[in-house]
Amino acid sequence: MKLLGISGTIIGAKTSIIVNKVLEEAKQAAPEIEVELLDLRNYQISMCDGRDPSIYPDDTKQVIDIVSSADFYVIGTPIFQGSMTGALKNLFDHINPQALRNKVIGFVANGGTYQHFLVVENQLKPIAGYFRAYVAPGYVYAHTDHFNQQNEIEDQDVLTRITSLAKEVVQMQLALKPQRTRLM
């Protein structure tokens, strides 16, 4: 059972730090799961234009395969201009809706204003609805102020929410896995 963390940005480190922390907490809650971080900074992904993924000249097909093969997800994005990154939206555009159907997703986001947490509710959760995925009720939003100079999360409330989200996605996955197996 593989939990894939996706850091949906090609710049900065904070999103990857938060996603990775959720993966660590999930692994601690359920040592039997496999965790992997897909950091979009490490891949070249073409803009989605509808062609067969095997035709793209870069990492696009590999990334689609990584995402499609996971059992459940923690997906993170920084918030720019009141929205998710273009890189994450482009990734969503590449993914066949069947690949995420009936899979659990937890969301994390980070930004420079305290109002940007609403992007999770207004943009990310509806996309998960389109994919017919199961969304963890909790999520994590971290403000720039929640990190110290070394980009370590130092806010105890954020750390508590990270632990809670990790437990939620694991519990949901474990509860739904027998049902998903019977239905597929």
Side-chain angles (χ1 to χ4, degrees):
M1 188 167 47
K2 182 197 237 172
L3 171 59
L4 180 66
I6 300 172
S7 178
T9 183
I10 58 173
I11 62 167
K14 287 179 176 65
T15 303
S16 179
I17 290 166
I18 301 166
V19 171
N20 199 49
K21 185 70 174 160
V22 176
L23 294 177
E24 291 171 4
E25 292 291 323
K27 184 72 171 171
Q28 187 172 339
E32 71 276 12
I33 67 171
E34 176 186 350
V35 296
E36 180 181 350
L37 177 65
L38 174 68
D39 192 331
L40 295 186
R41 295 179 299 174
N42 300 328
Y43 296 90
Q44 292 294 317
I45 303 171
S46 294
M47 291 299 294
C48 183
D49 61 14
R51 66 182 126 157
D52 184 302
S54 63
I55 297 173
Y56 289 108
D58 50 23
D59 300 319
T60 303
K61 172 88 168 78
Q62 177 189 2
V63 169
I64 291 169
D65 291 345
I66 292 169
V67 173
S68 299
S69 67
D71 297 300
F72 61 132
Y73 308 88
V74 173
I75 300 174
T77 183
I79 307 303
F80 298 135
Q81 306 294 354
S83 186
M84 75 185 95
T85 65
L88 182 59
K89 176 62 169 88
N90 184 52
L91 177 62
F92 285 140
D93 289 344
H94 278 293
I95 303 301
N96 183 316
Q98 293 297 318
L100 299 182
R101 189 178 189 135
N102 297 325
K103 293 184 179 180
V104 175
I105 299 176
F107 288 112
V108 304
N110 57 289
T113 75
Y114 284 99
Q115 293 75 26
H116 279 152
F117 74 92
L118 293 170
V119 171
V120 175
E121 293 291 343
N122 296 329
Q123 293 180 23
L124 297 174
K125 287 184 176 183
I127 288 172
Y130 167 76
F131 284 111
R132 295 187 178 181
Y134 298 112
V135 179
Y139 57 88
V140 175
Y141 179 78
H143 186 276
T144 304
D145 293 342
H146 296 143
F147 293 83
N148 64 22
Q149 292 294 329
Q150 293 74 39
N151 264 349
E152 299 165 330
I153 303 166
E154 63 180 2
D155 184 272
Q156 190 56 51
D157 185 51
V158 171
L159 291 169
T160 299
R161 284 184 274 132
I162 286 170
T163 301
S164 294
L165 178 62
K167 289 178 180 176
E168 282 180 8
V169 295
V170 168
Q171 288 171 351
M172 287 179 69
Q173 176 65 18
L174 293 174
L176 293 169
K177 183 182 176 203
Q179 181 182 10
R180 282 187 42 231
T181 302
R182 284 194 305 268
L183 294 175
M184 292 188 168

